[in-house]
Amino acid sequence: GYFIKGKFDQFQRNLPFSAFVGAFRDLMGQLLSETDAKVEQWKLEILAALGDSAQAIVEVIPELEKIIGEQPSIPEVSGLAAQNRFNLLFEKFIQIFTTKEHPLVIFLDDLQWADSASLKLIQLLMSDIDKCYLLLIGAYRDNEVYPTHPLMLTLGDIQKTEAKVNTITLAPLAQADVNCLV
């Protein structure tokens, strides 16, 4: 399987999908470290899934071009159409890496700073109950979110579907635990 990680940044909230982009740039590096035959297999699978629209993903994850080569440009669309196209393509892109042979774990840190586009993508990915072999782990500072925070609303919407959501609250380490660690 593959484990990738991304982190939202407090000062880059205006960059949509920043944690996803970081995570998948890391994944492209992992794929490029595999054998030439395996990289060629990935290339064929990615091109089959994304078709003529692969450039939309390459624009966000430039390292992908090292695997699939230069792609033809795609027609420009704006607003909601652009976001819907990207979400659909990104979902197809993620599905390539979520199979029984190689499940995918995505860890996203500092979700309290996630942009709205990323939250919509998380909701889209987690609300599809037919999706197997994808584990999304998110971490956030519960002291920085409130019941009407966009993250909490998104988690509430995900829980309304049949998606499984587990919450683990971490408490500070006790002095005895710190002493044992030291």
Side-chain angles (χ1 to χ4, degrees), residues 108 111-112 114 118-120 122-124 126-127 136-142 145-168:
L108 299 173
L111 283 170
Q112 74 275 7
S118 295
L119 292 174
K120 289 280 187 207
I122 290 169
Q123 184 175 354
L124 179 71
M126 298 313 300
S127 297
L136 183 62
I137 302 170
Y140 63 93
R141 298 176 189 174
D142 59 359
V145 296
Y146 42 88
T148 58
H149 188 280
L151 172 62
M152 302 314 289
L153 296 175
T154 300
L155 291 176
D157 289 343
I158 292 170
Q159 287 175 329
K160 290 176 186 170
T161 68
E162 294 182 28
K164 191 171 194 174
V165 176
N166 295 312
T167 302
I168 301 170

Side-chain angles (χ1 to χ4, degrees), residues 173-182:
L173 292 173
Q175 184 175 354
D177 297 325
V178 173
N179 288 340
C180 285
L181 184 63
V182 172

Side-chain angles (χ1 to χ4, degrees), residues 16-181:
F17 311 111
S18 62
F20 281 104
V21 169
F24 278 91
R25 291 178 97 172
D26 180 45
L27 179 60
M28 294 306 103
Q30 291 180 44
L31 298 182
L32 287 167
S33 70
E34 295 183 5
T35 65
D36 289 344
K38 188 67 177 167
V39 171
E40 184 64 24
Q41 181 182 346
W42 284 120
K43 174 183 177 178
L44 296 174
E45 288 183 37
I46 293 167
L47 290 174
L50 301 179
D52 294 336
S53 301
Q55 183 61 30
I57 304 297
V58 170
E59 288 173 3
V60 177
I61 306 169
E63 291 80 0
L64 177 59
E65 191 172 62
K66 295 176 184 174
I67 295 173
I68 63 173
E70 195 170 320
Q71 297 299 304
S73 60
I74 55 173
E76 295 251 350
V77 293
S78 61
L80 189 59
Q83 184 176 356
N84 288 339
R85 177 176 69 182
F86 179 80
N87 285 348
L88 177 67
L89 288 170
F90 206 73
E91 188 174 16
K92 286 181 179 181
F93 182 63
I94 289 174
Q95 285 175 348
I96 298 165
F97 307 104
T98 56
T99 66
K100 186 176 184 177
E101 295 76 34
H102 49 76
L104 178 64
V105 177
I106 304 173
F107 173 69
L108 299 173
D109 197 10
D110 286 329
L111 283 170
Q112 74 275 7
W113 295 323
D115 57 279
S116 61
S118 295
L119 292 174
K120 289 280 187 207
L121 182 59
I122 290 169
Q123 184 175 354
L124 179 71
L125 292 174
M126 298 313 300
S127 297
D128 185 356
I129 60 170
D130 294 330
K131 228 180 232 57
C132 296
Y133 311 111
L134 171 64
L135 175 62
L136 183 62
I137 302 170
Y140 63 93
R141 298 176 189 174
D142 59 359
N143 64 333
E144 292 192 27
V145 296
Y146 42 88
T148 58
H149 188 280
L151 172 62
M152 302 314 289
L153 296 175
T154 300
L155 291 176
D157 289 343
I158 292 170
Q159 287 175 329
K160 290 176 186 170
T161 68
E162 294 182 28
K164 191 171 194 174
V165 176
N166 295 312
T167 302
I168 301 170
T169 303
L170 301 178
L173 292 173
Q175 184 175 354
D177 297 325
V178 173
N179 288 340
C180 285
L181 184 63

